[in-house]
Amino acid sequence: MLFGRNKKNPIKMVDKGVVKWTYTTCGYCSTGCSIEVGSNAEGAAVATRGVGGADVNRGKLCLKGIFEYQLFEAQGRGERPLVRNAPFEPFRKASWDDALDKMASEIKRIQAAYGRDAFAVVSTGQLLTEEFYTLGKLARGVIGSNNYDGNTTLCMASAVSGYKRSFGSDGPPGCYEDFEHTHCLIAWGSNLPEQHPIIYWRLKEALEKRKFPLIVVDPRVTMLAQFADIHLPITPGTDVVLQNALIHVILAEGLEDRAYIEANTTGIEDLAKEVRNYDPITASKICGIDEDTIRTVARLYAKAPRAMSIWTMGINQSTHGSDGVVGINNLNLVTGNIGKPGGTSLSITGQCNAMGTREWSSCSGLPGYRVLEKSEEREEIAKFWGIDPEFFPKQRGLTETDIFPAIETGQIKGLWLVATNPITSMPNTARIRKTLEKLECLVVQDSYQDVESAKYAHIYLPAATWAEKEGVFTNTERRVNLTRQVRKPYADSKSDLQIFNELAKRFEQGQKIKFPEKPSEVFEEMKQLSKGRLVDISGMSHELIEAQRGIQWPYTEAHAKQGIAKGNQRLYTETASFRYKEGKAKLIPLPFVNNNEVPDEEYPFWLNSGRLVEHWHTRTKTGKIGNNNKFSPIPFMEMNPDAAAEMGVKHQAYVRVVSRRGDAVVMAMLTQRVPRNMVFIPFHFFDCANRLTLGLLDPHSRQPAFKQQAVRIEHVDQELAARINKEAREY
C-alpha cells in the first residue's frame, strides 16, 4: 500500500443547520444550472447545492455556483438611494421617492432641452426576463429614447448578428444534448472548462460514452485545447480565413451535402466563388494553420454523419465577429448540419440571461424578436401597450459601443446604467472615464454601491440581487428556468422590477401603460406576445417551469394541452423552415479584410484576454467572495518562458504592459500556454486589461475587438508595483 491509497477516509460534511431549501437558477453564466439555496432557522442563506433531477447540470455546480449564497451579505452592497449634484461631491442619503423624483426630473429636463434621444439607457444580461420586458416597456414606451442597449453588445452581439444574417432570426438552433449525438465537434475560441464548466462536463460525459474528434481553434493552449484531439493555434482575428479554407476543401472534393443545400439555402454559387480565393496554401499563410491540417479538419467535419460547432468570445470579440459566426453557419449549412441531433451551430452565451435580453428587452427592437423597422410589428406592440405607434422610432438607435462616443460629441447628456460597469468592462478605460465625466446626469442602478462606475454617478439606486427577486432566465440552449425568491432584498434595496414600475409612474406616458407588479403577471403578458412567434412560450407558467426544472422554447399552448413535458430541443428541424422568405437560409460570401491592430517592432506582442473560472465579469460579485477571489486576487499576465528569458522577466515578477492607449501593471506568470509572441491577461480586473484594449468595432454587430491588439512589456520597480497590487487586493 502506497501512502494509504487503499484506505478510504469517510467524508465529513459540515452541518450548516439548513431547515429549508429553495429552488432557483444560478445567476452567473449562461449554462442555466438548477440549484437550491439552503436557509437556516434564522432565515439566513448558508448553503447551495445542485438539483439532481435537472437536465442541465444533473446535480453538478461549478466553483461560482457553490458559493453563490454568499452574495446576499457580501461587502459593498447598496443600502439606500444616494444623490448628489456632481461626481466630486459626497453622496447624500435619500428616500426612494426623492431619488426617483430627481431621476425623472433630470430625464425630462434633458429630453426637453436636447431631444428624447439625449438620454440613453444601458442595461445588462443579468436581470430576470420579466424585468427586461418591463425595462423595455419603460425605455421604448415611456421614456421614448431610441438610444437603449444592453452590455450584451460586448459579448453576444456578433452571435445575434450572425444568426440573423444566416437564418433570418436570432436564436441558437441546438442544445447540450447534441454532444451526445455528434460525430465531430469544433470549438471556436471557446474554453469551456473555465468559461462554462458544467457544459464542459456534459461534453466530457458524452466523450466518455462515445469517442469523437474534438477540434479546438484558439491561439492559446487553453484547458480545452489541452484535451483536444487537434489544436489549431490560429493567428488572432483570422477565423474567417480558416472557415473559407475549410469550405474550399469541402466543395473542391465534393464533400458537401448538395441535397440539403438545394432544399434549404440560397447563395451557394456566390459562396463557392468567394472560397476559391482561400485554397489551403494561401489560407495557411494568413491564419497560421498548415495546409495539411486544414484539409484533414475539413474532411473530418464533412465526412462525419453529424458535426457541430460551438463558440464563445474568441469568435464574437473581433472586428470580424459577425462574419465569423456567419462562417460557422456557412460551414454547417454546406454540410447539412443544422436542425438535426448532433449537427448545429451553437453559440455558448455569456451571461445568465443574455438570451432573455435578446428575446424580451426591446434593446434591438421590440418584444419577442420583433423589429422596429416593420410597421405592423410596431403597431402590434403599441396596441398591446395602449400607446400611439408613432411614439416608437422606426429603426434601431445606437448600440452601447456607439452611445459612449455620442456622449463625447454631446449628442447624449444623460445615461442610466442598470447592473453594468463600463468603467471596467469597456475597452480603453481612460477614454470611458473622461466620457462619464461629461454627463449632466449619470444614474447607476446596481446591487453594489462600490461598483467602479458609481464613482461618476449623480444618482445611485440600490437594487436587489439574484434570488432576492423572482422570475425567469433563458440559458444557452433556449431553456427557460425559474428563480424563486430566497430572501428579502438587502437593507432598503428594491427589485429592478419595482424600480422600473415606480419610475414609470412619474411620466405622463407611463400612466397610459399597465405595469404589472408581480413577476408572474408580467410573464403572462410575455406569453400573450409570444404566441405564433419563434420564441413562443405561451404554454409555460412559473409553476410548470419549476416542476420541469426548465423548459426549452418554443413551448406552445398546444404543447401544454397535449401534456408534452418539454419544448422543442432544436430549431429548423423541418425542410425550408428558416425565417427568410421561402424558408431558406442564406449562404453568405465572406471576403477577409485584415483591419486588426497587429504586433510590430514597437509593440511586438499580441494581447489576448479572457475569463477565469473563479471570477465573473468585473468582479463586482466574485471579488467579494473569499473562496472565489483567493485564487486570483490581483491582475496577472501569462507570458511564454522563452520570451521572458530574452527580456530578463522572472516568474511572478511585476511588469508594465503598454499599448497605444495606456498601461497596466501585472504579475508575470510564465507558461507555455501562450506562444512566444503573445500574452494573456484576464479581463476581470479594474484598471487593467481594458486600459490596453483598442476596441475596434465589428461593422455588423458593433461588438468590440477585445482580443486583437499589440503591446510591449517593460520592467517596473518591484516595490512600487507590489504596493499597487496590495491596494488592488482590498476590493
Side-chain angles (χ1 to χ4, degrees):
M1 185 172 70
L2 184 63
F3 303 122
R5 200 167 279 176
N6 292 332
K7 182 181 178 182
K8 300 294 183 182
N9 295 318
I11 297 173
K12 295 181 180 179
M13 300 292 289
V14 176
D15 184 358
K16 295 187 176 182
V18 174
V19 297
K20 178 185 178 183
W21 291 97
T22 304
Y23 180 83
T24 187
T25 304
C26 182
Y28 280 114
C29 80
S30 68
T31 303
C33 293
S34 295
I35 65 179
E36 291 179 323
V37 179
S39 303
N40 63 17
E42 288 73 42
V46 294
T48 312
R49 68 184 184 188
V51 177
D55 185 63
V56 168
N57 55 313
R58 301 168 187 176
K60 303 285 194 301
L61 287 180
C62 80
L63 183 68
K64 291 187 286 292
I66 289 170
F67 297 108
E68 194 166 10
Y69 69 92
Q70 296 180 6
L71 287 177
F72 298 121
E73 299 292 339
Q75 293 183 352
R77 289 293 306 272
E79 295 185 352
R80 58 186 56 83
L82 303 172
V83 299
R84 59 187 174 187
N85 295 322
F88 54 80
E89 295 180 358
F91 273 122
R92 306 185 305 276
K93 296 176 183 177
S95 68
W96 273 103
D97 281 339
D98 288 345
L100 290 174
D101 285 347
K102 180 179 175 65
M103 181 179 176
S105 175
E106 283 295 283
I107 295 172
K108 292 174 184 177
R109 178 188 67 80
I110 288 170
Q111 290 185 320
Y114 307 107
R116 273 197 346 210
D117 294 341
F119 189 86
V121 183
V122 177
S123 72
T124 178
Q126 295 178 70
L127 299 184
L128 296 158
T129 310
E130 293 87 347
E131 294 173 335
F132 277 134
Y133 170 74
T134 303
L135 176 58
K137 187 190 292 189
L138 174 61
R140 292 287 184 206
V142 176
I143 296 173
S145 174
N146 198 21
N147 295 326
Y148 163 49
D149 197 23
N151 67 17
T152 47
T153 292
L154 304 183
C155 59
M156 295 312 298
S158 290
V160 174
S161 173
Y163 278 143
K164 288 180 177 178
R165 290 168 68 194
S166 294
F167 304 147
S169 175
D170 185 19
C175 61
Y176 304 153
E177 190 181 288
D178 285 321
F179 294 144
E180 299 172 18
H181 301 284
T182 196
H183 296 87
C184 183
L185 186 147
I186 301 181
W188 301 81
S190 179
N191 182 20
L192 287 180
E194 293 195 81
Q195 296 166 341
H196 302 86
I198 303 304
I199 299 180
Y200 172 65
W201 167 71
R202 292 286 300 267
L203 171 60
K204 287 288 285 185
E205 187 180 54
L207 282 165
E208 288 173 2
K209 293 177 180 177
R210 182 182 47 82
K211 186 71 180 96
F212 52 85
L214 171 60
I215 302 160
V216 173
V217 182
D218 203 299
R220 178 168 163 254
V221 187
T222 62
M223 194 178 297
L224 187 61
Q226 293 175 44
F227 298 135
D229 298 290
I230 302 174
H231 174 218
L232 308 182
I234 195 169
T235 300
T238 62
D239 303 272
V240 169
V241 175
L242 177 58
Q243 292 160 357
N244 282 343
L246 294 175
I247 297 172
H248 173 103
V249 173
I250 290 168
L251 296 181
E253 298 186 3
L255 301 176
E256 73 275 17
D257 187 335
R258 185 58 61 170
Y260 183 91
I261 292 170
E262 292 177 357
N264 292 280
T265 72
T266 62
I268 184 60
E269 295 82 7
D270 290 338
L271 178 63
K273 181 179 178 181
E274 180 61 36
V275 300
R276 290 191 197 109
N277 300 319
Y278 297 89
D279 62 274
I281 297 174
T282 301
S284 67
K285 296 174 183 177
I286 304 172
C287 69
I289 307 302
D290 69 89
E291 58 176 295
D292 287 340
T293 301
I294 291 174
R295 295 184 192 279
T296 297
V297 170
R299 291 164 184 160
L300 275 173
Y301 202 82
K303 291 181 179 180
R306 300 167 186 219
M308 65 183 291
S309 289
I310 62 171
W311 73 94
T312 318
M313 297 309 123
I315 288 286
N316 291 343
Q317 291 178 339
S318 166
T319 55
H320 313 294
S322 179
D323 281 356
V325 175
V326 170
I328 291 171
N329 295 336
N330 284 345
L331 178 63
N332 284 323
L333 287 167
V334 299
T335 55
N337 280 303
I338 294 291
K340 63 183 183 183
T344 192
S345 296
L346 182 61
S347 60
I348 307 296
T349 313
Q351 301 183 63
C352 59
N353 205 19
M355 282 298 300
T357 188
R358 288 153 67 173
E359 298 157 2
W360 291 103
S361 74
S362 303
C363 280
S364 61
L366 292 168
Y369 288 155
R370 292 172 176 85
V371 295
L372 289 161
E373 288 75 10
K374 293 185 178 181
S375 60
E376 66 272 20
E377 295 186 349
R378 295 196 305 271
E379 290 170 6
E380 184 181 7
I381 296 300
K383 181 179 179 181
F384 189 87
W385 286 349
I387 61 173
D388 185 346
E390 291 301 312
F391 189 77
F392 291 138
K394 294 179 174 58
Q395 61 183 14
R396 182 184 181 178
L398 299 178
T399 65
E400 177 185 11
T401 47
D402 292 310
I403 284 172
F404 286 92
I407 296 171
E408 291 178 326
T409 60
Q411 291 174 258
I412 291 174
K413 301 291 186 178
L415 178 64
W416 181 13
L417 298 175
V418 183
T420 187
N421 187 23
I423 196 69
T424 300
S425 61
M426 284 283 287
N428 199 344
T429 302
R431 182 179 179 184
I432 298 301
R433 180 180 283 113
K434 292 178 181 178
T435 301
L436 294 180
E437 289 173 347
K438 290 178 68 70
L439 288 164
E440 293 185 10
C441 179
L442 173 62
V443 182
V444 171
Q445 179 172 321
D446 203 285
S447 301
Y448 294 88
Q449 182 183 328
D450 60 359
V451 63
E452 290 91 356
S453 296
K455 295 176 183 177
Y456 302 89
H458 299 79
I459 302 170
Y460 167 75
L461 304 177
T465 191
W466 179 47
E468 291 175 343
K469 309 179 293 184
E470 197 154 293
V472 299
F473 293 144
T474 306
N475 77 345
T476 284
E477 58 172 357
R478 295 169 287 102
R479 187 182 300 273
V480 181
N481 209 346
L482 186 67
T483 294
R484 289 289 188 194
Q485 186 178 31
V486 171
R487 50 160 287 170
K488 294 180 179 179
Y490 180 82
D492 193 27
S493 62
K494 292 182 180 292
S495 74
D496 297 277
L497 180 63
Q498 288 177 294
I499 296 170
F500 302 149
N501 284 353
E502 288 298 316
L503 183 64
K505 295 175 183 177
R506 288 161 166 81
F507 290 82
E508 181 181 350
Q509 187 81 352
Q511 306 298 322
K512 302 176 183 178
I513 302 177
K514 180 184 177 183
F515 282 84
E517 295 183 1
K518 295 181 180 179
S520 58
E521 295 172 347
V522 179
F523 192 75
E524 288 300 316
E525 277 197 17
M526 293 158 50
K527 285 168 59 176
Q528 293 180 57
L529 289 173
S530 78
K531 291 179 182 179
R533 309 290 300 178
L534 180 68
V535 58
D536 195 322
I537 59 171
S538 59
M540 299 184 192
S541 67
H542 281 188
E543 292 71 27
L544 186 61
I545 292 167
E546 180 176 5
Q548 297 298 331
R549 301 322 198 209
I551 303 173
Q552 288 169 280
W553 64 254
Y555 186 81
T556 66
E557 288 180 316
H559 283 106
K561 289 177 181 178
Q562 295 169 23
I564 299 172
K566 297 182 178 180
N568 290 6
Q569 288 184 292
R570 298 170 185 87
L571 303 179
Y572 316 125
T573 56
E574 303 294 328
T575 299
S577 58
F578 295 95
R579 309 302 284 184
Y580 278 120
K581 187 178 180 181
E582 299 178 354
K584 292 190 174 184
K586 291 185 179 181
L587 291 166
I588 302 172
L590 302 170
F592 176 70
V593 178
N594 192 0
N595 60 345
N596 295 315
E597 181 179 66
V598 299
D600 55 23
E601 289 186 4
E602 187 177 2
Y603 300 94
F605 293 92
W606 286 104
L607 170 63
N608 193 0
S609 64
R611 189 189 296 175
L612 303 172
V613 68
E614 61 267 20
H615 277 310
W616 180 247
H617 285 197
T618 64
R619 293 172 63 246
T620 307
K621 295 179 179 179
T622 53
K624 315 292 181 57
I625 306 300
N627 282 311
N628 292 129
N629 196 51
K630 67 183 181 184
F631 295 103
S632 49
I634 62 171
F636 67 89
M637 174 190 73
E638 292 183 358
M639 185 178 187
N640 185 280
D642 297 330
E646 286 182 0
M647 297 187 61
V649 174
K650 295 182 179 180
H651 184 59
Q652 294 187 333
Y654 294 105
V655 296
R656 176 182 286 112
V657 189
V658 184
S659 75
R660 291 177 175 85
R661 274 73 57 195
D663 65 342
V665 175
V666 295
M667 179 180 284
M669 308 296 287
L670 306 188
T671 173
Q672 296 288 353
R673 294 181 72 179
V674 289
R676 197 166 183 152
N677 66 340
M678 181 181 293
V679 295
F680 170 85
I681 300 178
F683 65 70
H684 306 287
F685 298 92
F686 175 58
D687 258 354
C688 188
N690 282 329
R691 289 173 61 92
L692 308 168
T693 48
L694 170 60
L696 285 171
L697 302 181
D698 179 284
H700 297 280
S701 66
R702 310 304 290 165
Q703 182 162 349
F706 284 106
K707 296 183 180 295
Q708 298 99 41
Q709 46 264 318
V711 297
R712 66 172 181 262
I713 311 300
E714 297 179 351
H715 293 277
V716 66
D717 181 276
Q718 296 297 295
E719 289 190 11
L720 176 61
R723 286 202 300 271
I724 292 172
N725 274 315
K726 183 179 180 182
E727 292 172 4
R729 287 173 182 260
E730 295 177 359
Y731 179 77

